Amino acid sequence: MQIGPHLLPNRLFVAPMAGVTDRPFRQLCRRLGAGYAVSEMVTSRKELWNSLKTSRRADHSGEPGPIAVQIAGTDAAMLAEAAVHNIERGAQIIDINMGCPAKKVCNKWAGSALMRNEALALEIAEAVVAVCAPRGVPVTLKMRTGWSADERNALRLARLFEAAGIAMLTIHGRTREQGYKGLAEYDTIAAVKAALAIPVVANGDIDSPEKARDVLAYTGADALMIGRAAQGRPWIFREVTHFLATGEHLAAPTVAEARDWFTEHLHDHYGLYGELSGMRSARKHIGWAVRGLPGGEAFRQHMNTLEHCQAQLQALRDWFDELGQTHDRLPPAAAANDDQVPADEAGVA
């Protein structure tokens, strides 16, 4: 799998998710088998580039390449300027967000709302490619199947984007109207793949090795992008890789392995966000980690009462050590609800 000059180790990608796929989470997923990860979306509004929130989202310290940054906005010139700004900060691939369904994004006609204005969507793609191409930086784009069931225009837009120089397209198999409800459909993704020469990535409801195999076979996609299913289960990437290669299931991680992975993740998380913000924002990651496991809900409620990083970290380690007394490997957890609204404000795929 290749994006421009960048050869990737495999075709399993981490979806960009606002409030989730920060640098510590991306690095954890890469360590556990993901071949590629895209940053949380960053704004094209210049006055916000130096804000704490945007600075954290654009932090790639120690991250393995290629560094991919997703940008969002509605003005072609501003998006082009944002692309250059992020390239100067180390971005090696620029991704354009036309897939986020969140109201706070779509109400400003950004994200998936751009699919309703095909002329503007194309203008943005052309403007970003124009500034990235001379710098040797490929531009990718993530979108949905359309605005609604009656306005599925992904195939038409995909052809326009390919002609504009977009190097790779990712398609989430839902319309903006669906949000994250219902089931993803893959007919549109298959149609886009059949029509295009550039790589096409399938996204939506890929939550098991079998589903990954089936979506690849049905769509002919070049790669898969996994989002919500990696929350609390970042080893899904190595599970899928093993299954696609051998047809056999990889054994579940040991409880001790999971404990150590999550411990390392929390240390990295606190390092990025600091004591107070890190403790609070880590709660969702810990909640996902124990979701569906024996005693997980009671622990999550207790953990949410803790007010210090060290207490939070120790409680997590103690909980996994207790689980390890009755289970050598992680027991099967209840599957995430596909109809669940993402925990953060926007952009979860």
Side-chain angles (χ1 to χ4, degrees), residues 7-343:
L7 181 64
L8 307 180
N10 63 46
R11 51 181 178 166
L12 298 177
F13 302 168
V14 186
M17 299 178 281
V20 181
T21 50
D22 51 23
R23 175 175 49 79
F25 185 79
R26 293 194 302 270
Q27 289 179 310
L28 178 64
C29 291
R30 292 286 295 272
R31 178 182 171 188
L32 295 179
Y36 177 65
V38 183
S39 77
E40 304 170 82
M41 64 178 177
V42 297
T43 181
S44 60
R45 293 172 57 190
K46 192 172 185 177
E47 67 271 20
L48 297 178
W49 288 349
N50 292 322
S51 69
L52 180 59
K53 183 175 183 178
T54 298
S55 296
R56 283 172 174 162
R57 288 187 171 186
D59 189 322
H60 306 285
S61 306
E63 188 172 359
I67 304 300
V69 175
Q70 187 182 77
I71 57 175
T74 59
D75 182 273
M78 287 173 62
L79 278 157
E81 189 176 10
V84 173
H85 173 72
N86 281 282
I87 291 170
E88 291 172 346
R89 289 175 58 90
Q92 297 167 292
I93 297 172
I94 294 294
D95 186 68
I96 302 173
N97 183 319
M98 294 193 190
C100 178
K103 288 183 180 180
K104 67 182 289 185
V105 175
C106 289
N107 285 346
K108 298 177 183 177
W109 293 99
S112 55
L114 286 168
M115 296 187 71
R116 299 193 86 179
N117 188 337
E118 294 184 3
L120 177 57
L122 179 59
E123 181 187 356
I124 287 171
E126 290 174 336
V128 175
V129 169
V131 296
C132 290
R135 294 169 169 82
V137 174
V139 179
T140 63
L141 189 147
K142 188 171 189 289
M143 63 178 178
R144 291 196 160 220
T145 57
W147 179 260
S148 66
D150 296 327
E151 297 181 64
R152 281 201 179 100
N153 59 341
L155 179 57
R156 185 164 61 250
L157 276 172
R159 289 189 169 112
L160 294 172
F161 292 147
E162 181 180 43
I166 294 296
M168 183 181 77
L169 278 174
T170 299
I171 303 172
H172 182 112
R174 287 182 173 88
T175 64
R176 188 288 170 201
E177 189 177 63
Q178 283 181 272
Y180 301 100
K181 298 183 181 297
L183 299 175
E185 58 91 1
Y186 305 108
D187 290 329
T188 301
I189 301 174
V192 171
K193 172 56 190 171
L196 268 56
I198 60 174
V200 173
V201 183
N203 174 227
D205 293 355
I206 300 166
D207 57 4
S208 70
E210 291 87 352
K211 188 65 173 284
R213 174 200 60 198
D214 294 346
V215 171
L216 280 173
Y218 189 83
T219 64
D222 300 279
L224 299 175
M225 184 170 276
I226 298 174
R228 286 171 293 165
Q231 295 173 359
R233 190 184 157 199
W235 50 83
I236 187 174
F237 298 101
R238 73 174 196 171
E239 290 179 338
V240 171
T241 298
H242 183 82
F243 184 79
L244 293 178
T246 68
E248 299 177 353
H249 284 278
L250 189 67
T254 66
V255 172
E257 283 178 322
R259 178 200 63 203
D260 292 345
W261 291 332
F262 289 131
T263 297
E264 180 182 339
H265 179 218
L266 286 184
H267 279 299
D268 290 345
H269 190 87
Y270 301 149
L272 178 63
Y273 292 97
E275 176 84 16
L276 183 60
S277 294
M279 178 273 299
R280 290 175 175 171
S281 57
R283 287 171 175 167
K284 60 176 175 258
H285 288 280
I286 297 172
W288 292 325
V290 303
R291 178 180 56 192
L293 294 175
E297 178 57 24
F299 171 72
R300 186 190 66 82
Q301 293 182 20
H302 165 67
M303 180 270 303
N304 284 342
T305 68
L306 303 177
E307 294 292 339
H308 298 285
C309 290
Q310 191 55 46
Q312 190 180 65
L313 186 61
Q314 190 60 52
L316 181 72
R317 291 187 63 85
D318 290 345
W319 185 83
F320 271 104
D321 286 342
E322 184 177 344
L323 181 65
Q325 293 177 11
T326 54
H327 297 81
D328 177 47
R329 296 187 177 274
L330 286 182
N337 181 2
D338 281 330
D339 289 344
Q340 176 186 344
V341 177

